[in-house]
Amino acid sequence: MSLLEGLRFSRGTSPIHNLDPRVKFFMTVVLFAAAIMFLNLIPLLVILLVQVPLVVVGKIQREWAKTLKGGVFLAVIIFATNLLSFYFFRGRHLTSEMLEFALSLTLRFLVLITSFSIFFLTTSPDKLSLALEKARVPYEFNFAFITAIRFVPVLADEAQSIIDAQRSRGLELERGNFLARIRKYIPILLPLIINSIRRSLELAEAMESRAFGAAAKRTNLYELKMNRRDYAVLAVSALALTAALYIRFFTPPLGPVLPPFSIV
Amino acid sequence: MGIVEIRGLWYSYPNAPAPALRGLDLTVEAGEFVLLTGPSGCGKTTFCRCLNGLIPHFYNGELKGEVEVAGLSTRDHPTTELARHVGLIFQNPDNQIFALTVEKDVAFGLENLGVEKEEMLKAVDWAMSATGISDLRDRATHELSGGQKQRLAIASILAMRPKVLVLDEPTSFLDPVGAEQIFEVLNALNKEHGMTIILIEHRLDLAVRYADRVIVFAQGEIIDDGPPTEVFTAEETRLAGVGVPKIVALSNRLARRGITLEGPPLTADRFVEEIEKQLPKAGTPTPEKRAPPGLAELTGEHRGNPIIEVHDISYTYPRGVEALRGVSLTIHRGEFVAIMGENGAGKTTLVKHFNGLLKPQKGRVVVDGVDVSQVSVASLARKVGLVFQNPDDQLFSENVEEEIRFALRNFGFEREVIEKRVDWALNLLDIGRYRRSSPFILSGGERKRVALASVLAWDPEVVVLDEPTIGQDYAQKERLRHFLMQLRTQGKTTIIVTHDVEFVAECGPRIILMADGGIIADGPTERIMTDMDALKRASVSPPEITKVFSRLSRHGFPPDIIDVEEAAEVLHRRLREVTA
């Protein structure tokens, strides 16, 4: 699960945290697109080199490192399966190019998860919801999204209390065969579901009491406003995208091309 | 005309066999601080729902009569509109917080009302400073303590600038320190901003001093209404099963012995003043003989062998919270122990070590001669039965009988034995008539008893109850107290984790005080409850009677009196001497 650590927002202030979420999203998309366009070590390394300073400026090194650590297993699998498939389907011999491709694919994976990490680790759900609002997503959906995030820790605590209570009544989750073990989750899931239904009723009452849906046009405590830095990042991102497209389609390849596919 | 006007209010929930409210007539004037109390299920919550229009707009059912708040009929104005005039705050703080940061949550109501940003910021600032949470502005809501969350809930309602604040048992989930902060906030709002407060509470000892007026509900009717001293001396109140605040109870007992105090006083401070008035000005205090030792001290005599031994354990949660730091203690067979301290002191973490839910990271826990790190939770749970705070975290069966069978089956009892044990447990907790009912249709107090029965059924040697009095009314607490006494006479080792001082003072157990993950005091009730320094360090405020006697000790009274009856006796003897 530590791979998902990279998606959990960590509170903080940094120039990256303060970027307009829409601009940040565009930047992430550009990095993402560039990583998809190239399959050679050099351009992918360049993208990674662009990302590392962003991680450092955003002060998310530790979380990012955790994500990478969680991704190692998957990265090894990507590397191994690619190398093996190159070997078996492209001539039954290994070349240094094949090694480079396998490495590139692995690097691409790391670049992609880094892009996601930068975006999600530095964008508060509140800002994300604002961006969604600006994108004309109906407020009800937005509210549901924020509420879901809000109740993740509450539900986690509750699940732990339920597990503790049932284990105290002699429930042994780790014993028995597969089917028996699934059955053992009933005493945990039922209270969790029933409590959630009860909770939703209480939430609905509290929403009413807080005038939910009273005004036709809701206002917002926070507003999204692009400042100079946002425009600058937007411009640089657009430029980078153009450059990447140009290099990919209008210049000779930056390295070896995959050998033809053949099953011998 | 009052700010709240209620005329002939009847209400029945859909499909309910009987009405929840039966003909209420009530006027609340602007600026009043009303304390509303009554046994569980008496219609207090239903009444709250009527005040902000949740009834009839959110709940169907049958409504008769008129409810007007700030001149608006709740029938004609929806809850969302009434929100600007009357704010409703609920029991569970978690279920009324919607945003991820404090500031944003305070603004939620205003955003919904479409208030402009400038005005919104002003209201948010004001609401946060009125509740004392300005420094929490940018904090994530889930990181707050229970008390902070509840103050946030109040701020979020205040931001909409209502004229009336209605709070439905807002302190049930809080420790006494958190509860007192809430009451102080309400008091300031009432006194400084003239806000009308309608507070529903079971914690009368703490709340009564702030109220101008007390209303007692029973079975959907108002049975008493007036100034606190009148209401709590009235016969109706006692009959309704409402706990009378300790100081009032003491004054009542003195009055029965022919000593009337002016007021009569509601707080320990005022009570002491009144007593001092009747004491001779310069008389030499005759040292009082201490009454014979109570049950608590006697129980020390028939202590058995150690059953739980804790050797220098520490525990840190994965997120880095150091919950226990070097705790050692021994609990003997047959002892009755209360573990006290504020929320977060490490009480629950400690008892989770007793049945192996948590294994000590450092140190050793030995239960009945077995090291807990060596054995499974299930085998320990057989010896140490843990009953958690919230019964809803464990009930899941189709009927009460099945619920009780669950653990017995897990422990592999024979079929016949299981049936015998089920009957025994049902009888013990007096829930036999619900044996085929679904546990979910029972009331909160009944669900709690089912949870207790489902643990006691396997007759564990040690019973641990985590916060058994939370959300319980006076009668339920009394029943629990009798039940605990019963366990005690049977020689069962009983441990309660609680921050309910008055309850503990009445039970008289060995008290273990915890603060910051360590034990700071351990001894019999009389000693710990009068150890003002230790209590202060543990953020536990002493019982009301003890407060009185610790202050009266300068006149030669014994400082270690905690029982109301004993207190009345001692005071009576002394004051009679004076008048004679």
Side-chain angles (χ1 to χ4, degrees):
Chain A
M1 276 301 144
S2 58
L3 184 59
L4 295 180
E5 286 279 309
L7 299 183
R8 209 166 61 203
F9 170 62
S10 64
R11 209 159 287 281
T13 45
S14 75
I16 307 289
H17 282 82
N18 294 340
L19 274 182
D20 188 289
R22 295 164 294 184
V23 172
K24 209 188 307 176
F25 186 68
F26 182 67
M27 185 180 87
T28 308
V29 168
V30 169
L31 288 169
F32 192 92
I36 300 282
M37 272 187 254
F38 298 99
L39 195 54
N40 294 109
L41 270 182
I42 309 256
L44 284 165
L45 273 173
V46 169
I47 301 172
L48 194 65
L49 281 179
V50 171
Q51 286 177 327
V52 170
L54 292 176
V55 166
V56 174
V57 174
K59 296 180 202 150
I60 48 165
Q61 302 89 316
R62 202 182 308 151
E63 292 81 0
W64 178 60
K66 252 193 232 163
T67 313
L68 287 190
K69 229 161 87 192
V72 164
F73 179 66
L74 222 54
V76 169
I77 289 184
I78 290 173
F79 182 74
T81 49
N82 275 299
L83 206 60
L84 284 176
S85 67
F86 286 149
Y87 177 78
F88 283 113
F89 300 124
R90 300 194 201 247
R92 283 197 176 267
H93 60 89
L94 269 182
T95 61
S96 62
E97 282 93 32
M98 288 183 184
L99 196 66
E100 186 185 335
F101 283 125
L103 268 177
S104 304
L105 280 161
T106 314
L107 194 58
R108 180 192 273 175
F109 167 70
L110 295 179
V111 166
L112 292 182
I113 59 174
T114 306
S115 315
F116 275 123
S117 294
I118 292 173
F119 182 74
F120 285 104
L121 280 172
T122 64
T123 309
S124 75
D126 276 331
K127 282 202 174 164
L128 200 57
S129 125
L130 267 180
L132 290 173
E133 219 167 289
K134 285 280 187 234
R136 316 220 162 190
V137 174
Y139 176 69
E140 284 75 12
F141 287 93
N142 246 318
F143 175 76
F145 163 71
I146 290 288
T147 308
I149 293 178
R150 153 86 184 93
F151 280 96
V152 167
V154 178
L155 243 74
D157 283 350
E158 192 163 280
Q160 190 58 52
S161 306
I162 293 172
I163 291 173
D164 282 347
Q166 305 300 37
R167 286 180 77 202
S168 300
R169 292 165 84 198
L171 181 70
E172 289 182 280
L173 290 171
E174 49 298 294
R175 268 187 36 190
N177 61 32
F178 181 68
L179 269 178
R181 275 202 234 177
I182 289 190
R183 273 177 58 100
K184 283 182 174 172
Y185 274 89
I186 293 174
I188 289 169
L189 288 176
L190 271 176
L192 199 60
I193 293 168
I194 292 162
N195 284 356
S196 297
I197 294 171
R198 241 186 228 135
R199 184 191 305 285
S200 65
L201 256 176
E202 283 184 31
L203 277 173
E205 276 189 272
M207 279 163 71
E208 286 286 315
S209 307
R210 299 275 285 283
F212 186 83
K217 201 180 169 309
R218 221 177 158 268
T219 47
N220 208 313
L221 181 66
Y222 303 137
E223 271 162 32
L224 283 185
K225 255 212 181 123
M226 303 252 293
N227 59 21
R228 249 181 240 155
R229 189 185 277 147
D230 293 317
Y231 284 114
V233 172
L234 191 63
V236 172
S237 300
L239 207 65
L241 182 64
T242 323
L245 284 169
Y246 180 78
I247 295 168
R248 173 69 178 81
F249 294 107
F250 299 100
T251 61
L254 293 168
V257 189
L258 263 189
F261 186 77
S262 65
I263 304 174
V264 187
Chain B
M1 206 177 98
I3 195 150
V4 175
E5 286 283 345
I6 294 170
R7 291 286 156 262
L9 174 63
W10 285 75
Y11 176 74
S12 313
Y13 284 102
N15 309 321
L21 299 177
R22 306 153 176 271
L24 300 186
D25 284 294
L26 181 67
T27 303
V28 176
E29 298 298 336
E32 269 191 300
F33 193 130
V34 179
L35 176 63
L36 206 153
T37 191
S40 288
C42 69
K44 302 184 300 274
T45 298
T46 309
F47 174 71
C48 291
R49 289 175 179 148
C50 287
L51 288 176
N52 80 336
L54 282 172
I55 293 172
H57 301 291
F58 187 81
Y59 289 93
N60 303 324
E62 202 188 330
L63 177 77
K64 277 188 278 183
E66 275 307 316
V67 179
E68 270 187 24
V69 180
L72 302 173
S73 159
T74 57
R75 232 187 262 275
D76 309 332
H77 300 267
T79 303
T80 48
E81 199 185 323
L82 288 164
R84 274 173 174 276
H85 306 278
V86 50
L88 183 50
I89 288 139
F90 303 86
Q91 191 173 22
N92 185 346
D94 255 323
N95 292 351
Q96 41 190 327
I97 293 174
F98 296 96
L100 304 164
T101 57
V102 169
E103 173 187 57
K104 180 85 173 146
D105 193 67
V106 178
F108 181 67
L110 300 167
E111 293 178 339
N112 289 330
L113 290 166
V115 171
E116 287 308 317
K117 191 175 170 179
E118 296 266 304
E119 202 191 323
M120 182 143 58
L121 274 174
K122 253 187 245 160
V124 168
D125 283 341
W126 175 77
M128 287 201 296
S129 75
T131 48
I133 56 167
S134 299
D135 52 330
L136 303 175
R137 187 169 204 130
D138 295 316
R139 290 274 294 277
T141 45
H142 75 265
E143 292 168 356
L144 305 181
S145 73
Q148 289 171 333
K149 279 184 187 167
Q150 198 60 285
R151 275 187 284 158
L152 167 60
I154 296 176
S156 304
I157 289 293
L158 276 183
M160 294 186 280
R161 307 247 187 198
K163 296 172 194 75
V164 185
L165 219 50
V166 184
L167 304 102
D168 189 2
E169 294 182 39
T171 69
S172 288
F173 290 22
L174 310 184
D175 57 20
V177 178
E180 253 188 293
Q181 281 169 344
I182 297 287
F183 296 144
E184 288 297 337
V185 164
L186 296 179
N187 190 43
L189 287 169
N190 177 253
K191 299 285 172 316
E192 286 159 31
H193 301 278
M195 192 160 289
T196 312
I197 310 266
I198 299 176
L199 171 66
I200 288 158
E201 259 306 325
H202 286 313
R203 275 181 156 149
L204 301 176
D205 283 300
L206 291 176
V208 71
R209 71 194 58 168
Y210 305 107
D212 308 319
R213 175 177 173 191
V214 176
I215 297 176
V216 182
F217 264 52
Q219 289 160 343
E221 287 177 78
I222 294 175
I223 57 157
D224 217 339
D225 180 355
T229 48
E230 267 173 40
V231 169
F232 289 123
T233 41
E235 190 66 2
E236 292 90 348
T237 307
R238 202 175 57 78
L239 293 178
V242 170
V244 171
K246 288 288 170 307
I247 295 294
V248 179
L250 182 53
S251 306
N252 289 352
R253 291 220 165 126
L254 283 178
R256 239 173 279 147
R257 288 176 165 86
I259 299 168
T260 41
L261 300 179
E262 208 173 306
L266 292 173
T267 64
D269 286 335
R270 284 273 303 113
F271 186 89
V272 171
E273 277 171 33
E274 286 302 319
I275 292 291
E276 282 176 342
K277 266 189 212 165
Q278 308 212 4
L279 287 173
K281 289 286 173 288
T284 39
T286 31
E288 280 278 343
K289 277 274 185 321
R290 185 69 188 85
L295 187 60
E297 278 158 67
L298 291 173
T299 47
E301 303 300 314
H302 59 251
R303 267 188 190 171
N305 318 320
I307 184 147
I308 295 176
E309 293 162 90
V310 177
H311 301 286
D312 195 27
I313 60 164
S314 296
Y315 192 87
T316 305
Y317 282 99
R319 291 266 167 81
V321 182
E322 243 187 303
L324 292 177
R325 351 181 165 204
V327 170
S328 297
L329 86 141
T330 304
I331 292 172
H332 299 87
R333 228 174 268 273
E335 260 191 308
F336 178 33
V337 180
I339 301 177
M340 302 191 73
E342 63 181 328
N343 287 354
K347 303 179 303 257
T348 302
T349 308
L350 176 62
V351 296
K352 279 187 186 169
H353 281 84
F354 295 169
N355 77 345
L357 280 176
L358 296 177
K359 308 282 184 194
Q361 289 160 341
K362 214 186 107 240
R364 235 153 53 91
V365 177
V366 179
V367 174
D368 202 12
V370 181
D371 189 325
V372 297
S373 303
Q374 312 293 322
V375 286
S376 70
V377 177
S379 71
L380 277 168
R382 186 76 179 69
K383 284 183 192 152
V384 182
L386 209 60
V387 186
F388 284 90
Q389 197 179 109
N390 185 356
D392 297 335
D393 285 347
Q394 58 164 289
L395 302 180
F396 72 98
S397 304
E398 55 184 313
N399 61 42
V400 170
E401 212 172 43
E402 269 307 296
E403 197 65 62
I404 297 174
R405 276 191 203 119
F406 174 69
L408 297 170
R409 280 207 201 101
N410 287 335
F411 291 130
F413 282 88
E414 300 283 329
R415 182 181 284 273
E416 300 91 75
V417 181
I418 291 182
E419 292 316 307
K420 267 188 207 144
R421 286 295 178 84
V422 169
D423 289 337
W424 178 78
L426 285 168
N427 276 333
L428 188 65
L429 284 138
D430 192 25
I431 44 175
R433 71 205 114 121
Y434 303 126
R435 68 186 305 153
R436 306 229 185 271
S437 321
S438 158
F440 303 111
I441 62 160
L442 302 181
S443 75
E446 288 160 350
R447 288 208 293 274
K448 223 157 171 147
R449 275 190 276 156
V450 173
L452 192 51
S454 79
V455 171
L456 284 168
W458 76 80
D459 201 18
E461 288 173 49
V462 182
V463 184
V464 185
L465 305 172
D466 192 6
E467 296 293 359
T469 63
I470 273 197
Q472 303 286 293
D473 68 12
Y474 176 73
Q476 288 163 337
K477 279 193 203 176
E478 277 300 286
R479 186 197 280 275
L480 178 70
R481 194 164 66 85
H482 287 301
F483 181 71
L484 290 176
M485 291 302 136
Q486 201 179 325
L487 290 182
R488 188 174 181 177
T489 45
Q490 287 166 7
K492 173 111 33 214
T493 316
T494 311
I495 302 169
I496 58 173
V497 174
T498 183
H499 38 55
D500 193 330
V501 250
E502 299 297 344
F503 184 76
V504 170
E506 280 174 26
C507 291
R510 164 186 169 193
I511 298 176
I512 294 172
L513 270 186
M514 291 188 74
D516 291 328
I519 292 176
I520 57 169
D522 180 351
T525 309
E526 282 81 358
R527 209 183 77 219
I528 301 299
M529 281 301 186
T530 51
D531 184 344
M532 296 297 159
D533 287 341
L535 288 175
K536 196 166 182 194
R537 274 173 64 205
S539 299
V540 173
S541 75
E544 296 294 309
I545 301 295
T546 316
K547 279 186 200 163
V548 167
F549 279 86
S550 85
R551 258 161 251 180
L552 284 178
S553 62
R554 59 171 179 256
H555 299 288
F557 284 99
D560 53 349
I561 290 184
I562 46 181
D563 180 64
V564 181
E565 196 53 56
E566 195 185 346
E569 192 52 52
V570 169
L571 285 169
H572 176 229
R573 219 184 305 141
R574 181 67 176 282
L575 293 174
R576 205 179 41 196
E577 263 172 42
V578 173
T579 46

